[in-house]
Amino acid sequence: MSFSHAGIIRRVVLVSLTTVLMLSSSPVCLHAQVPPEVATLAHGAVEKIAKFHPQQILVAPLRGCLLDPEMCHELDTSLRSALESALPAIKIIGQADAVRFLKMHGVPAIDVYVVDALQIAGAEVGSELLVAEDLEWTKKANKVKVEIFDTHKQSKLSESQTSVVRRDPVSDEEPVIYKDPESGVSLIVSKKQESKPKYFPSCQSC
């Protein structure tokens, strides 16, 4: 879809992509304990990962996580802790590694939230699996997900999810916008389910 005028979005949250990347790779002080539903989801995902016997995995968030970065950070923290405890021999690489690969190949860093780009990046850097963290927005809660992909076959192997009530009671349906300061392109994240990412400015030649 082409966005010819930014005024079609009445109210958005505009945040630098650099800030989000820093949040995903740096320890932060969480406001509260990790919700038990999230911890259970993470441990269940690790059990599924173990069945594939990978030597290296890429763990990274998808664009839905931009709707509630704190909750996805809690999922990421729980997932990595469970992995390190149950599968200490597995090498874990993250979003920053995928960004470096994408930029080396001329792909904007903002595409690091797109599953197809992550699968390609994961395969090229030697990860057998992509463990993708994602989130769906509903009026009263978040559906938090962990999806496991075979990076070489580019196929989904498993998906688990749980519903978690948000601490922030805001339930409006306005989109969230995250801007890549390097390319100037913004990723428009809708709270309604959409199969393809939307960008502004849109790509007229794709």
Side-chain angles (χ1 to χ4, degrees):
M1 178 180 294
S2 175
F3 292 86
S4 60
H5 196 283
I8 61 173
I9 299 173
R10 299 186 300 277
R11 182 168 60 85
V12 300
V13 179
L14 181 59
V15 180
S16 165
L17 178 66
T18 303
T19 301
V20 178
L21 291 173
M22 290 175 62
L23 174 63
S24 68
S25 60
S26 304
V28 297
C29 180
L30 300 177
H31 298 308
Q33 291 185 339
V34 173
E37 302 95 331
V38 171
T40 299
L41 177 65
H43 282 84
V46 170
E47 291 178 359
K48 293 180 178 180
I49 292 168
K51 295 178 181 179
F52 299 108
H53 308 289
Q55 296 183 352
Q56 178 175 297
I57 62 175
L58 168 59
V59 179
L62 300 182
R63 67 183 186 274
C65 278
L66 298 175
L67 296 171
D68 193 337
E70 182 177 330
M71 187 168 289
C72 277
H73 183 82
E74 291 172 341
L75 172 61
D76 187 76
T77 299
S78 295
L79 186 58
R80 289 172 182 271
S81 176
L83 282 166
E84 291 171 0
S85 176
L87 304 170
I90 291 181
K91 181 179 180 181
I92 304 171
I93 65 171
Q95 188 183 58
D97 300 282
V99 168
R100 282 193 289 271
F101 171 84
L102 294 177
K103 292 173 70 173
M104 284 175 55
H105 291 79
V107 180
I110 203 165
D111 275 353
V112 77
Y113 291 103
V114 179
V115 68
D116 291 345
L118 284 171
Q119 288 187 85
I120 293 171
E124 290 297 325
V125 298
S127 297
E128 300 99 316
L129 300 180
L130 163 63
V131 181
E133 304 154 340
D134 204 3
L135 181 147
E136 289 184 16
W137 180 281
T138 66
K139 287 187 177 296
K140 295 184 178 180
N142 291 329
K143 289 183 180 179
V144 185
K145 298 180 178 182
V146 177
E147 299 173 307
I148 302 172
F149 296 86
D150 182 318
T151 59
H152 297 288
K153 296 181 180 179
Q154 295 194 18
S155 61
K156 183 185 291 189
L157 301 173
S158 172
E159 178 179 328
S160 304
Q161 67 178 35
T162 190
S163 183
V164 185
V165 176
R166 284 189 300 277
R167 299 187 185 101
D168 182 354
V170 174
S171 60
D172 67 75
E173 296 185 355
E174 298 295 344
V176 174
I177 292 183
Y178 284 85
K179 185 175 183 179
D180 179 1
E182 294 185 7
S183 67
V185 175
S186 295
L187 176 61
I188 302 171
V189 187
S190 173
K191 292 174 182 175
K192 299 178 181 179
Q193 293 307 303
E194 297 177 334
S195 59
K196 295 182 179 180
K198 293 181 179 180
Y199 300 95
F200 181 82
S202 60
C203 179
Q204 302 297 333
S205 59
C206 295

